[in-house]
Amino acid sequence: MPSSCKKCNTAITPTVPSLKCCICGVHNHIKCLDISKAQFELMKTISGLDWKCLECRGLNSTNANASKCKCCEIIPELKIIIDKLSQSVELLKNQLSQVKETPSAIEFEEVVQEVTDRQIRKSNLIMFGVPEQASNMSSADRKVNDENYVNNFLFQFGETSDIISSKCNRIGRFEPTRAAPRPMRVYLENGEQVVKLLRGIRKNRDIINENQIYKNVRVSLDKTPKQRSYYKKIRQELQERKNGGEEGLIIKYIRGIPRVMVANNRSNDRDSNNLNK
């Protein structure tokens, strides 16, 4: 038959911590003795530590040494130690939560690099579909042809005719067997020129599509790898929502950040930059 707690008279089970008197063998739940689980666990680690119940301490009251067990001497000290440890643990938890909320030095450096990279790229355009000249032409001649092609395109279809590219170059290594032409990075003076050119190109998109020389050309902002990765997710979201039956969806930039939105008027459609095509 299982033992019962001397104080609450309920059964002693392995799942509820208890102490057994080293003299009479009576059990008491630690909660009935006002001993915390942390104190109990610490007591178990102390070798030779015996515990006496209150009755057995009273029976041995004639012997001053016998009336006190080692537990009686150590529990007050344990309570002080446990309290201090609890305070230290709470302090460490608070410090840890602050560390989690504060970006690490590496994360901060990545943010700085991303901001710097975007600042550099905001004066650039990326052009796709610009024909690449034959491999028997020198690299210098190919570069001249590329610059002439780009500047003619910008002159004809940009919103202003006074903007020309100061520099442009192909992205990637030249390969004669490459099926599609390499993209081109076009360097302009500032971000305002980029905005004007994109506005003019959007306005003239139908004309460009009918032009035999420039119909395959597409122009976009010079995005960082993180921007391209995010934009790819937005395009996937757009496609998934369209497949789910939603209609009139576009990708619209709000404060420079692309979002999937419902085009409820013509102005939204213009502001979407035709990104949903």
Side-chain angles (χ1 to χ4, degrees):
M1 181 176 180
S3 301
S4 298
C5 174
K6 180 71 175 178
K7 191 168 184 178
C8 68
N9 203 33
T10 57
I12 298 294
T13 63
T15 58
V16 181
S18 62
L19 287 172
K20 180 181 178 181
C21 178
C22 62
I23 294 179
C24 68
V26 168
H27 289 81
N28 278 272
H29 294 125
I30 61 172
K31 66 178 181 180
C32 296
L33 300 171
D34 196 26
I35 297 174
S36 70
K37 191 172 181 180
Q39 292 168 347
F40 175 70
E41 293 297 330
L42 191 56
M43 289 167 62
K44 290 197 300 184
T45 65
I46 302 174
S47 177
L49 184 65
D50 295 323
W51 175 76
K52 291 179 183 178
C53 66
L54 290 174
E55 286 77 3
C56 290
R57 285 178 227 166
L59 289 173
N60 290 279
S61 59
T62 54
N63 187 334
N65 292 329
S67 63
K68 291 184 178 180
C69 63
K70 201 169 182 180
C71 282
C72 298
E73 297 174 352
I74 201 170
I75 284 178
E77 296 180 7
L78 287 178
K79 288 185 176 181
I80 295 173
I81 294 172
I82 293 296
D83 289 341
K84 289 183 177 179
L85 286 174
S86 298
Q87 293 174 5
S88 299
V89 168
E90 288 302 318
L91 180 61
L92 287 172
K93 284 181 179 179
N94 291 334
Q95 292 175 346
L96 181 59
S97 64
Q98 292 174 4
V99 168
K100 288 180 177 179
E101 292 174 0
T102 304
S104 67
I106 295 176
E107 290 173 339
F108 182 75
E109 182 66 23
E110 289 178 350
V111 171
V112 172
Q113 289 178 356
E114 178 68 15
V115 171
T116 303
D117 195 11
R118 292 190 184 191
Q119 187 68 20
I120 293 172
R121 291 172 182 256
K122 77 174 187 178
S123 300
N124 304 339
L125 286 173
I126 302 296
M127 294 182 65
F128 303 90
V130 177
E132 198 153 7
Q133 305 302 320
S135 59
N136 57 1
M137 184 180 292
S138 68
S139 59
D141 289 339
R142 286 200 303 270
K143 185 172 181 60
V144 170
N145 281 341
D146 286 343
E147 290 177 350
N148 290 335
Y149 186 98
V150 167
N151 284 317
N152 287 334
F153 177 86
L154 299 181
F155 178 81
Q156 290 188 50
F157 305 111
E159 190 172 64
T160 58
S161 59
D162 58 343
I163 298 176
I164 61 172
S165 169
S166 59
K167 180 184 175 184
C168 60
N169 59 265
R170 296 278 179 178
I171 301 173
R173 181 180 297 180
F174 175 71
E175 296 178 7
T177 58
R178 186 186 180 104
R182 293 172 293 167
M184 293 196 65
R185 180 174 282 116
V186 180
Y187 302 88
L188 301 167
E189 291 184 4
N190 51 59
E192 292 181 3
Q193 290 188 348
V194 170
V195 172
K196 287 182 179 180
L197 287 170
L198 286 176
R199 188 182 296 126
I201 292 168
R202 287 197 303 271
K203 188 183 297 183
N204 293 301
R205 174 47 62 190
D206 291 339
I207 299 174
I208 295 172
N209 290 339
E210 295 175 0
N211 189 296
Q212 293 302 311
I213 300 176
Y214 301 113
K215 64 179 181 180
N216 294 322
V217 174
R218 294 292 180 270
V219 183
S220 76
L221 299 170
D222 187 7
K223 303 182 182 71
T224 66
K226 282 185 170 57
Q227 286 177 301
R228 292 196 296 271
S229 176
Y230 180 74
Y231 183 68
K232 183 179 179 181
K233 292 180 181 178
I234 293 297
R235 291 299 297 259
Q236 290 174 347
E237 178 189 347
L238 176 67
Q239 191 59 49
E240 289 173 0
R241 291 176 62 175
K242 283 185 174 181
N243 293 341
E246 293 187 60
E247 298 180 354
L249 296 176
I250 60 171
I251 296 177
K252 180 179 179 180
Y253 276 87
I254 301 177
R255 295 182 180 179
I257 301 175
R259 296 281 190 269
V260 177
M261 302 184 67
V262 177
N264 53 10
N265 54 49
R266 294 182 63 186
S267 62
N268 277 354
D269 189 48
R270 290 196 300 270
D271 291 340
S272 70
N273 299 346
N274 294 324
L275 294 175
N276 58 319
K277 290 183 178 180

